[in-house]
Amino acid sequence: MNKYRDPKSGQYVHSPANRNKKLISELYRAFNHFNRVFANGELPHVVITLQNRGRRNAYGWFGQGFWVDRVTKDGVHEINLSAEYLARGKDGLLETLLHEMAHLLNASKDIRDCSSGQYHNKKFKIAAEQFGLKVVRSGTKGWAYTSLDSPAAEAISQLKLDGTLFKGLRRVEAPKRVERYKSLIVSPEAFDQLQDIRKFTGLSQKEAVEKAIDNFIGDIL
């Protein structure tokens, strides 16, 4: 029995594995098309990945030289689309691809367009607009907020993509990790005293700190 059936239409659909395979193939086709339309085919090839968003909490990212080709001895750039956001739909996913391609364009020209804190400067804005995007400045991220403008929307329509590939599959978000320990900031003198207490009592650092806190609370309550 084929369980891969759309409950709304009643039609059978490709398995998740085949849809994922087709999605990646379409992303590479879209990359090549956008490269021709917006960059005269001058962008270097990249590795396109679908990975966990991790701590970045972003729709995607560009990684300069994240891969190494041992055959050609070249560094290879990465464009990642966060797996938790794959169900945003065709336009949302391809807008992210275009956003990261703007970073790629600047990197290929040795232009720094983003700080380590993810502040996007005007050089990113210029590149993003070249890729048919609207760019808005906001908050501490600078010109980081992009959306499809008419040139990008037109380029997407030319691809004639299967929209069902871009909305049916996404990665389940991993549960947030509960922190088992918290760090404390103390002066060097207090730290030395803590080490003396440990030597005298044989307590671990965690036990010594917790005992000192318990004693302090007991004194003031």
Side-chain angles (χ1 to χ4, degrees):
M1 180 178 179
N2 189 340
K3 64 179 180 179
Y4 301 115
R5 192 168 189 167
D6 185 340
K8 293 182 179 180
S9 67
Q11 296 179 338
Y12 289 109
V13 297
H14 289 287
S15 70
N18 281 336
R19 271 182 284 151
N20 184 65
K21 180 180 178 181
K22 287 178 176 292
L23 172 59
I24 293 176
S25 177
E26 291 290 70
L27 289 172
Y28 275 105
R29 187 165 73 89
F31 176 92
N32 292 334
H33 176 64
F34 297 152
N35 189 10
R36 290 192 298 270
V37 171
F38 297 116
N40 297 317
E42 296 177 357
L43 291 181
H45 292 292
V46 298
V47 173
I48 297 177
T49 60
L50 307 176
Q51 297 183 48
N52 182 299
R53 69 183 185 182
R55 295 183 179 180
R56 297 170 186 259
N57 196 27
Y59 287 151
W61 65 76
F62 165 71
Q64 187 169 1
F66 273 24
W67 292 71
V68 175
D69 186 342
R70 291 187 176 181
V71 177
T72 64
K73 310 302 181 184
D74 291 334
V76 183
H77 305 315
E78 172 184 285
I79 289 180
N80 178 70
L81 301 174
S82 298
E84 291 87 348
Y85 300 125
L86 294 184
R88 291 167 57 216
K90 176 184 63 178
D91 288 348
L93 209 58
L94 294 180
E95 180 270 317
T96 300
L97 178 62
L98 286 163
H99 179 117
E100 305 309 333
M101 289 179 72
H103 284 302
L104 172 64
L105 175 66
N106 279 332
S108 69
K109 297 179 179 180
D110 293 323
I111 296 174
R112 184 176 175 84
D113 64 10
C114 188
S115 71
S116 58
Q118 296 305 302
Y119 181 89
H120 291 52
N121 61 34
K122 285 188 176 180
K123 293 177 181 177
F124 171 78
K125 178 179 182 292
I126 293 170
E129 289 175 342
Q130 178 177 327
F131 278 87
L133 297 174
K134 295 179 183 178
V135 190
V136 176
R137 184 179 184 179
S138 179
T140 60
K141 302 299 182 182
W143 300 96
Y145 299 93
T146 56
S147 59
L148 297 179
D149 207 347
S150 53
E154 172 61 23
I156 291 173
S157 69
Q158 292 169 359
L159 286 165
K160 301 186 184 303
L161 297 163
D162 180 358
T164 62
L165 296 174
F166 294 81
K167 61 183 181 180
L169 193 64
R170 70 175 180 87
R171 190 181 190 276
V172 176
E173 294 192 35
K176 293 183 179 179
R177 187 175 63 181
V178 178
E179 295 185 18
R180 295 180 60 193
Y181 303 106
K182 297 287 186 179
S183 61
L184 294 174
I185 299 175
V186 299
S187 67
E189 294 78 10
F191 183 79
D192 291 340
Q193 289 178 328
L194 175 62
Q195 302 313 309
D196 290 339
I197 292 171
R198 291 184 59 203
K199 290 178 183 178
F200 182 75
T201 63
L203 295 173
S204 68
Q205 184 163 291
K206 174 178 175 292
E207 290 169 336
V209 170
E210 290 178 347
K211 194 169 186 63
I213 293 173
D214 288 340
N215 290 338
F216 177 76
I217 293 175
D219 289 340
I220 64 175
L221 293 181

